[in-house]
Every structure is written in C-alpha cells, then in structure tokens.
Amino acid sequence: FVLPFIAGLCDCIENILHILMLTGFMDITDFSVALSGSITNTKWLLAFVSIIAIIVMGVKKLASKKEKAVNEI
C-alpha cells in the first residue's frame, strides 16, 4: 500500500516549493502557486483515501473475525 508514501513525497515537494518561494529563489507566479496548491490538494486526497482504506480494511477484518467466531460455535 503506497498511498501514504506518495502523500509524504507530495508533502516534501510542497515544502520545497514553499521554501523556494519564501527565500526568493523562485518567483511567486500564478503557476508556482497553482503547482504548490495542486500538490497540497493531492497530498490531502491521498492521505484521506489512505485513512478511509485503513478503516475499511479494519472493519472487514473485524467482521471476518466475528463471522469466524460465530461459525465455530
């Protein structure tokens, strides 16, 4: 499951872009702001999808354990 790692990579890229813009090494243009914003949105989307996937997998695991316990009785 690689989504959290891709989200972490997006976070690193976002931070680098912010540092470049704040230090004046990179001009603050509409494109640089849009790029940084897009990476931020991608990061949070991947983080949200990862959390939902973890919840779904946990619920499935609990349901299968419960079903297994019922079948053993």
Side-chain angles (χ1 to χ4, degrees):
F1 199 63
V2 298
L3 290 182
F5 297 104
I6 297 172
L9 179 64
C10 287
D11 188 45
C12 290
I13 294 169
E14 172 194 7
N15 292 340
I16 289 169
L17 287 172
H18 287 169
I19 289 169
L20 292 174
M21 286 188 282
L22 288 171
T23 59
F25 187 76
M26 180 176 166
D27 292 334
I28 300 175
T29 63
D30 289 342
F31 175 75
S32 62
V33 172
L35 178 63
S36 178
S38 296
I39 291 173
T40 301
N41 290 338
T42 302
K43 173 188 73 174
W44 285 111
L45 175 67
L46 293 174
F48 180 73
V49 169
S50 297
I51 291 168
I52 296 299
I54 290 167
I55 291 169
V56 168
M57 288 187 291
V59 168
K60 283 184 177 182
K61 184 78 168 178
L62 289 174
S64 69
K65 282 185 178 182
K66 187 174 181 179
E67 183 178 316
K68 192 180 222 183
V70 169
N71 290 337
E72 289 178 359
I73 295 177

Coordinates of all heavy atoms in Angstrom, one line a residue:
F1 N 0.9 -1.2 0.0 CA 0.0 0.0 0.0 C 0.9 1.2 0.0 O 1.5 1.5 1.0 CB -0.9 -0.1 1.2 CG -2.1 0.8 1.1 CD1 -3.1 0.6 0.2 CD2 -2.3 1.8 2.0 CE1 -4.2 1.4 0.1 CE2 -3.4 2.7 2.0 CZ -4.3 2.5 1.0
V2 N 1.0 1.9 -1.1 CA 2.0 3.0 -1.3 C 1.4 4.4 -1.2 O 2.2 5.4 -1.2 CB 2.7 2.9 -2.6 CG1 3.5 1.6 -2.7 CG2 1.7 3.0 -3.8
L3 N 0.1 4.5 -1.0 CA -0.5 5.9 -1.0 C 0.1 6.8 0.1 O 0.3 8.0 -0.2 CB -2.0 5.8 -0.9 CG -2.8 5.3 -2.1 CD1 -4.3 5.3 -1.8 CD2 -2.5 6.0 -3.3
P4 N 0.3 6.3 1.3 CA 0.8 7.2 2.3 C 2.2 7.7 2.0 O 2.6 8.8 2.3 CB 0.9 6.3 3.6 CG -0.2 5.3 3.4 CD -0.1 5.0 1.9
F5 N 3.0 6.8 1.3 CA 4.4 7.2 0.9 C 4.3 8.3 -0.2 O 5.2 9.2 -0.2 CB 5.2 6.0 0.5 CG 5.4 5.0 1.6 CD1 4.6 3.8 1.7 CD2 6.2 5.3 2.7 CE1 4.8 2.9 2.7 CE2 6.4 4.4 3.7 CZ 5.7 3.2 3.7
I6 N 3.4 8.1 -1.1 CA 3.3 9.1 -2.2 C 2.8 10.5 -1.6 O 3.2 11.5 -1.9 CB 2.3 8.6 -3.3 CG1 2.9 7.4 -3.9 CG2 2.1 9.7 -4.3 CD1 1.9 6.7 -4.9
A7 N 1.9 10.4 -0.6 CA 1.4 11.6 0.1 C 2.6 12.3 0.8 O 2.7 13.5 0.8 CB 0.3 11.2 1.1
G8 N 3.5 11.5 1.4 CA 4.7 12.0 2.1 C 5.6 12.7 1.1 O 6.2 13.7 1.4
L9 N 5.7 12.1 -0.1 CA 6.6 12.7 -1.1 C 6.0 14.0 -1.6 O 6.7 15.0 -1.8 CB 6.7 11.7 -2.3 CG 7.5 12.2 -3.5 CD1 9.0 12.4 -3.1 CD2 7.4 11.2 -4.6
C10 N 4.6 14.0 -1.7 CA 4.0 15.3 -2.1 C 4.2 16.4 -1.0 O 4.4 17.5 -1.4 CB 2.5 15.1 -2.3 SG 2.0 14.2 -3.8
D11 N 4.2 15.9 0.2 CA 4.5 16.9 1.3 C 5.9 17.5 1.2 O 6.1 18.7 1.4 CB 4.3 16.2 2.7 CG 4.3 17.2 3.8 OD1 3.7 18.3 3.7 OD2 5.0 16.9 4.8
C12 N 6.8 16.6 0.9 CA 8.2 17.1 0.8 C 8.3 18.1 -0.4 O 9.0 19.1 -0.3 CB 9.2 15.9 0.6 SG 9.4 14.9 2.0
I13 N 7.7 17.7 -1.5 CA 7.7 18.6 -2.7 C 7.1 20.0 -2.4 O 7.6 21.0 -2.7 CB 7.1 17.9 -3.9 CG1 7.9 16.7 -4.3 CG2 6.9 18.9 -5.1 CD1 7.2 15.9 -5.4
E14 N 5.9 19.9 -1.7 CA 5.2 21.1 -1.3 C 6.1 22.0 -0.4 O 6.2 23.2 -0.6 CB 3.9 20.7 -0.5 CG 3.2 21.9 0.1 CD 2.2 21.4 1.1 OE1 2.1 20.2 1.4 OE2 1.4 22.3 1.6
N15 N 6.8 21.4 0.6 CA 7.6 22.1 1.5 C 8.8 22.8 0.7 O 9.2 23.9 1.0 CB 8.2 21.2 2.6 CG 7.1 20.8 3.5 OD1 6.0 21.4 3.6 ND2 7.3 19.7 4.3
I16 N 9.4 22.0 -0.2 CA 10.5 22.6 -1.0 C 10.0 23.8 -1.8 O 10.7 24.8 -1.9 CB 11.1 21.5 -1.9 CG1 11.9 20.5 -1.1 CG2 12.0 22.1 -3.0 CD1 12.3 19.2 -1.8
L17 N 8.8 23.7 -2.5 CA 8.3 24.8 -3.2 C 8.1 26.0 -2.4 O 8.4 27.1 -2.8 CB 7.0 24.4 -3.9 CG 7.2 23.4 -5.1 CD1 5.8 22.9 -5.6 CD2 7.9 24.1 -6.3
H18 N 7.5 25.8 -1.2 CA 7.3 26.9 -0.3 C 8.6 27.6 0.1 O 8.7 28.8 0.2 CB 6.5 26.4 1.0 CG 5.1 26.1 0.7 ND1 4.3 25.5 1.6 CD2 4.3 26.3 -0.4 CE1 3.1 25.3 1.1 NE2 3.1 25.8 -0.1
I19 N 9.6 26.8 0.4 CA 10.9 27.3 0.8 C 11.5 28.1 -0.4 O 12.0 29.2 -0.2 CB 11.9 26.2 1.3 CG1 11.4 25.7 2.6 CG2 13.3 26.7 1.3 CD1 12.1 24.4 3.0
L20 N 11.4 27.6 -1.6 CA 11.9 28.3 -2.7 C 11.2 29.6 -3.0 O 11.8 30.6 -3.3 CB 11.8 27.4 -4.0 CG 12.7 26.2 -4.0 CD1 12.4 25.3 -5.3 CD2 14.2 26.6 -4.0
M21 N 9.9 29.6 -2.8 CA 9.2 30.9 -3.0 C 9.4 31.9 -1.8 O 9.6 33.1 -2.1 CB 7.7 30.6 -3.1 CG 7.3 29.9 -4.4 SD 5.5 29.8 -4.6 CE 5.1 28.4 -3.6
L22 N 9.5 31.4 -0.6 CA 9.8 32.3 0.5 C 11.2 32.9 0.5 O 11.4 34.0 1.0 CB 9.5 31.6 1.8 CG 8.1 31.2 2.2 CD1 8.0 30.3 3.4 CD2 7.3 32.5 2.4
T23 N 12.1 32.1 0.0 CA 13.5 32.7 0.0 C 13.8 33.5 -1.2 O 14.9 34.2 -1.3 CB 14.5 31.5 0.0 OG1 14.3 30.7 -1.1 CG2 14.4 30.7 1.3
G24 N 12.9 33.6 -2.1 CA 13.1 34.4 -3.3 C 13.8 33.7 -4.4 O 14.1 34.3 -5.5
F25 N 14.2 32.4 -4.2 CA 14.9 31.7 -5.2 C 14.0 31.4 -6.4 O 14.5 31.3 -7.5 CB 15.5 30.4 -4.6 CG 16.4 29.6 -5.6 CD1 17.7 30.0 -5.8 CD2 15.9 28.5 -6.2 CE1 18.5 29.4 -6.6 CE2 16.7 27.8 -7.1 CZ 18.0 28.2 -7.3
M26 N 12.7 31.3 -6.1 CA 11.7 31.0 -7.2 C 10.7 32.1 -7.1 O 10.2 32.5 -6.0 CB 11.1 29.7 -6.9 CG 10.0 29.2 -7.8 SD 9.5 27.6 -7.3 CE 8.1 27.4 -8.3
D27 N 10.4 32.7 -8.3 CA 9.5 33.8 -8.3 C 8.1 33.3 -7.9 O 7.7 32.2 -8.3 CB 9.4 34.4 -9.7 CG 10.7 35.2 -10.1 OD1 11.3 35.7 -9.1 OD2 11.0 35.3 -11.2
I28 N 7.3 34.1 -7.2 CA 6.0 33.7 -6.9 C 5.1 34.2 -8.1 O 4.8 35.3 -8.3 CB 5.5 34.4 -5.6 CG1 6.4 34.0 -4.4 CG2 4.1 34.1 -5.3 CD1 6.1 34.6 -3.1
T29 N 4.7 33.2 -8.8 CA 3.9 33.4 -10.0 C 2.6 32.7 -9.8 O 2.4 31.8 -8.9 CB 4.6 32.9 -11.3 OG1 4.8 31.5 -11.2 CG2 5.9 33.6 -11.5
D30 N 1.6 32.9 -10.7 CA 0.4 32.2 -10.7 C 0.6 30.7 -10.8 O 0.0 29.8 -10.2 CB -0.6 32.6 -11.8 CG -1.1 34.0 -11.5 OD1 -1.1 34.5 -10.4 OD2 -1.6 34.7 -12.5
F31 N 1.6 30.3 -11.7 CA 1.9 28.9 -11.9 C 2.5 28.3 -10.7 O 2.1 27.2 -10.3 CB 2.9 28.8 -13.1 CG 3.3 27.3 -13.3 CD1 2.5 26.4 -13.9 CD2 4.6 26.9 -12.9 CE1 2.8 25.1 -14.0 CE2 5.0 25.6 -13.1 CZ 4.1 24.7 -13.7
S32 N 3.5 28.9 -10.0 CA 4.1 28.3 -8.9 C 3.1 28.2 -7.7 O 3.1 27.1 -7.0 CB 5.3 29.1 -8.4 OG 4.9 30.4 -8.0
V33 N 2.2 29.1 -7.6 CA 1.1 29.0 -6.5 C 0.2 27.9 -6.9 O -0.2 27.1 -6.0 CB 0.4 30.3 -6.4 CG1 -0.8 30.2 -5.4 CG2 1.4 31.4 -5.8
A34 N -0.2 27.8 -8.2 CA -1.1 26.7 -8.6 C -0.5 25.3 -8.5 O -1.1 24.4 -8.0 CB -1.6 27.0 -10.1
L35 N 0.8 25.3 -8.8 CA 1.5 24.0 -8.7 C 1.6 23.6 -7.2 O 1.3 22.4 -6.9 CB 2.9 24.1 -9.3 CG 3.8 22.9 -9.1 CD1 3.2 21.7 -9.9 CD2 5.2 23.2 -9.6
S36 N 2.0 24.5 -6.3 CA 2.0 24.2 -4.9 C 0.7 23.8 -4.4 O 0.5 22.8 -3.6 CB 2.6 25.4 -4.2 OG 2.6 25.1 -2.8
G37 N -0.4 24.5 -4.8 CA -1.7 24.2 -4.3 C -2.2 22.8 -4.8 O -2.8 22.1 -4.1
S38 N -1.8 22.5 -6.1 CA -2.2 21.2 -6.6 C -1.5 20.1 -5.9 O -2.1 19.0 -5.6 CB -1.9 21.1 -8.1 OG -2.6 22.1 -8.8
I39 N -0.3 20.3 -5.6 CA 0.5 19.2 -4.8 C -0.1 19.1 -3.4 O -0.3 18.0 -2.9 CB 2.0 19.5 -4.8 CG1 2.5 19.4 -6.2 CG2 2.7 18.7 -3.8 CD1 3.9 19.8 -6.4
T40 N -0.5 20.2 -2.8 CA -1.1 20.2 -1.5 C -2.4 19.4 -1.5 O -2.7 18.5 -0.7 CB -1.4 21.6 -0.9 OG1 -0.1 22.3 -0.9 CG2 -2.0 21.6 0.4
N41 N -3.3 19.7 -2.5 CA -4.5 19.0 -2.7 C -4.3 17.5 -2.9 O -5.1 16.7 -2.4 CB -5.4 19.6 -3.8 CG -5.9 21.0 -3.4 OD1 -6.0 21.4 -2.2 ND2 -6.2 21.8 -4.4
T42 N -3.4 17.2 -3.7 CA -3.1 15.8 -4.0 C -2.6 15.1 -2.7 O -3.1 13.9 -2.4 CB -2.0 15.6 -5.1 OG1 -2.4 16.3 -6.2 CG2 -1.6 14.2 -5.3
K43 N -1.8 15.7 -1.9 CA -1.3 15.1 -0.7 C -2.5 14.8 0.2 O -2.6 13.7 0.8 CB -0.4 16.1 0.0 CG 0.0 15.7 1.5 CD 0.8 16.8 2.2 CE -0.1 17.9 2.6 NZ 0.6 18.9 3.4
W44 N -3.4 15.8 0.4 CA -4.5 15.6 1.3 C -5.5 14.6 0.8 O -6.1 13.8 1.6 CB -5.2 16.9 1.7 CG -4.4 17.7 2.6 CD1 -3.7 18.9 2.4 CD2 -4.1 17.3 4.0 NE1 -3.0 19.2 3.5 CE2 -3.2 18.3 4.5 CE3 -4.4 16.3 4.8 CZ2 -2.7 18.3 5.8 CZ3 -3.9 16.2 6.1 CH2 -3.1 17.2 6.6
L45 N -5.7 14.5 -0.5 CA -6.6 13.5 -1.1 C -6.0 12.1 -0.9 O -6.7 11.2 -0.4 CB -6.7 13.7 -2.6 CG -7.5 12.7 -3.4 CD1 -9.0 12.7 -2.9 CD2 -7.4 12.9 -4.9
L46 N -4.7 11.9 -1.1 CA -4.1 10.6 -0.8 C -4.1 10.3 0.6 O -4.4 9.1 1.0 CB -2.6 10.6 -1.3 CG -2.5 10.7 -2.9 CD1 -1.0 10.9 -3.2 CD2 -3.1 9.5 -3.6
A47 N -3.9 11.2 1.5 CA -4.0 11.0 2.9 C -5.4 10.5 3.3 O -5.6 9.6 4.1 CB -3.6 12.2 3.7
F48 N -6.4 11.2 2.8 CA -7.8 10.9 3.1 C -8.1 9.5 2.6 O -8.8 8.7 3.3 CB -8.7 12.0 2.5 CG -10.2 11.7 2.8 CD1 -10.7 11.9 4.0 CD2 -11.0 11.3 1.8 CE1 -12.1 11.7 4.3 CE2 -12.3 11.0 2.0 CZ -12.9 11.2 3.2
V49 N -7.8 9.2 1.4 CA -8.0 7.9 0.8 C -7.3 6.8 1.6 O -7.9 5.7 1.9 CB -7.6 7.8 -0.7 CG1 -7.7 6.4 -1.2 CG2 -8.5 8.7 -1.5
S50 N -6.1 7.1 2.1 CA -5.4 6.1 2.9 C -6.1 5.8 4.2 O -6.2 4.7 4.6 CB -4.0 6.6 3.2 OG -3.2 6.8 2.0
I51 N -6.6 6.9 4.8 CA -7.3 6.7 6.1 C -8.6 5.9 5.9 O -8.9 5.0 6.7 CB -7.6 8.1 6.8 CG1 -6.2 8.7 7.2 CG2 -8.6 8.0 7.9 CD1 -6.3 10.1 7.7
I52 N -9.3 6.2 4.9 CA -10.6 5.5 4.6 C -10.3 4.0 4.3 O -11.0 3.1 4.8 CB -11.3 6.2 3.4 CG1 -11.8 7.6 3.7 CG2 -12.5 5.3 2.9 CD1 -12.7 7.6 4.9
A53 N -9.2 3.8 3.5 CA -8.8 2.4 3.2 C -8.4 1.6 4.5 O -8.8 0.5 4.7 CB -7.6 2.4 2.2
I54 N -7.7 2.3 5.4 CA -7.4 1.6 6.7 C -8.6 1.3 7.5 O -8.7 0.2 8.1 CB -6.4 2.5 7.5 CG1 -5.1 2.6 6.8 CG2 -6.3 2.0 8.9 CD1 -4.1 3.7 7.3
I55 N -9.6 2.2 7.5 CA -10.8 2.0 8.2 C -11.6 0.8 7.6 O -12.1 -0.1 8.3 CB -11.7 3.3 8.3 CG1 -11.0 4.3 9.2 CG2 -13.1 3.0 8.8 CD1 -11.6 5.7 9.1
V56 N -11.7 0.8 6.3 CA -12.4 -0.2 5.6 C -11.8 -1.6 5.8 O -12.5 -2.6 6.1 CB -12.5 0.1 4.1 CG1 -13.0 -1.1 3.3 CG2 -13.5 1.3 3.8
M57 N -10.5 -1.6 5.7 CA -9.8 -2.9 6.0 C -9.9 -3.4 7.4 O -10.1 -4.6 7.7 CB -8.3 -2.8 5.6 CG -8.0 -2.7 4.2 SD -6.3 -2.7 3.7 CE -5.7 -1.2 4.3
G58 N -9.9 -2.4 8.4 CA -10.1 -2.8 9.8 C -11.5 -3.3 10.0 O -11.7 -4.3 10.7
V59 N -12.5 -2.7 9.4 CA -13.9 -3.2 9.6 C -14.1 -4.6 9.0 O -14.7 -5.4 9.6 CB -14.9 -2.2 9.0 CG1 -16.3 -2.7 8.9 CG2 -14.9 -0.9 9.8
K60 N -13.5 -4.8 7.8 CA -13.5 -6.1 7.2 C -12.9 -7.2 8.0 O -13.4 -8.3 8.2 CB -12.9 -6.1 5.8 CG -13.7 -5.4 4.7 CD -13.1 -5.5 3.4 CE -13.9 -5.0 2.3 NZ -13.3 -5.1 0.9
K61 N -11.7 -6.8 8.6 CA -11.0 -7.7 9.5 C -11.8 -8.1 10.7 O -11.9 -9.3 11.1 CB -9.7 -7.1 9.9 CG -8.8 -8.0 10.7 CD -8.1 -9.0 9.8 CE -7.0 -9.7 10.6 NZ -6.4 -10.7 9.8
L62 N -12.4 -7.1 11.3 CA -13.3 -7.4 12.5 C -14.5 -8.2 12.1 O -14.9 -9.1 12.8 CB -13.7 -6.0 13.1 CG -12.7 -5.3 13.9 CD1 -13.2 -3.9 14.3 CD2 -12.1 -6.0 15.0
A63 N -15.1 -7.9 10.9 CA -16.3 -8.7 10.5 C -15.9 -10.1 10.2 O -16.7 -11.0 10.6 CB -16.9 -8.0 9.3
S64 N -14.7 -10.4 9.6 CA -14.3 -11.7 9.3 C -14.0 -12.5 10.6 O -14.3 -13.7 10.7 CB -13.2 -11.8 8.4 OG -12.0 -11.3 9.0
K65 N -13.4 -11.8 11.6 CA -13.2 -12.5 12.9 C -14.5 -12.8 13.6 O -14.6 -13.9 14.2 CB -12.4 -11.6 13.8 CG -10.9 -11.5 13.5 CD -10.1 -10.7 14.5 CE -8.7 -10.7 14.2 NZ -7.9 -10.0 15.2
K66 N -15.5 -11.9 13.5 CA -16.8 -12.1 14.2 C -17.5 -13.3 13.5 O -18.0 -14.2 14.1 CB -17.6 -10.9 14.1 CG -18.9 -11.0 14.9 CD -19.6 -9.7 14.9 CE -20.9 -9.8 15.7 NZ -21.6 -8.5 15.8
E67 N -17.4 -13.3 12.2 CA -18.1 -14.4 11.4 C -17.4 -15.7 11.7 O -18.1 -16.8 11.9 CB -18.0 -14.1 9.9 CG -18.7 -15.1 9.0 CD -18.6 -14.8 7.6 OE1 -18.8 -13.6 7.2 OE2 -18.3 -15.7 6.8
K68 N -16.1 -15.7 11.8 CA -15.3 -17.0 12.1 C -15.7 -17.5 13.5 O -15.9 -18.7 13.7 CB -13.8 -16.7 12.1 CG -13.0 -17.9 12.1 CD -11.5 -17.4 12.1 CE -10.7 -18.3 11.1 NZ -9.3 -18.0 11.1
A69 N -15.9 -16.6 14.5 CA -16.2 -16.9 15.8 C -17.7 -17.5 15.9 O -17.9 -18.5 16.6 CB -16.1 -15.7 16.8
V70 N -18.6 -17.0 15.1 CA -19.9 -17.5 15.1 C -20.0 -18.8 14.5 O -20.7 -19.7 14.9 CB -20.9 -16.5 14.3 CG1 -22.2 -17.1 14.0 CG2 -21.0 -15.2 15.1
N71 N -19.2 -19.1 13.4 CA -19.2 -20.4 12.8 C -18.6 -21.5 13.6 O -18.9 -22.6 13.5 CB -18.4 -20.3 11.4 CG -19.2 -19.5 10.4 OD1 -20.4 -19.4 10.5 ND2 -18.5 -19.0 9.4
E72 N -17.7 -21.1 14.6 CA -17.1 -22.1 15.4 C -18.0 -22.6 16.5 O -17.8 -23.6 17.1 CB -15.8 -21.5 16.0 CG -14.7 -21.3 15.0 CD -13.4 -20.7 15.6 OE1 -13.4 -20.4 16.8 OE2 -12.5 -20.6 14.9
I73 N -19.0 -21.8 16.8 CA -19.9 -22.1 18.0 C -20.9 -23.2 17.5 O -21.3 -23.6 16.6 CB -20.7 -20.9 18.4 CG1 -19.8 -19.9 19.0 CG2 -21.8 -21.3 19.4 CD1 -20.4 -18.6 19.5

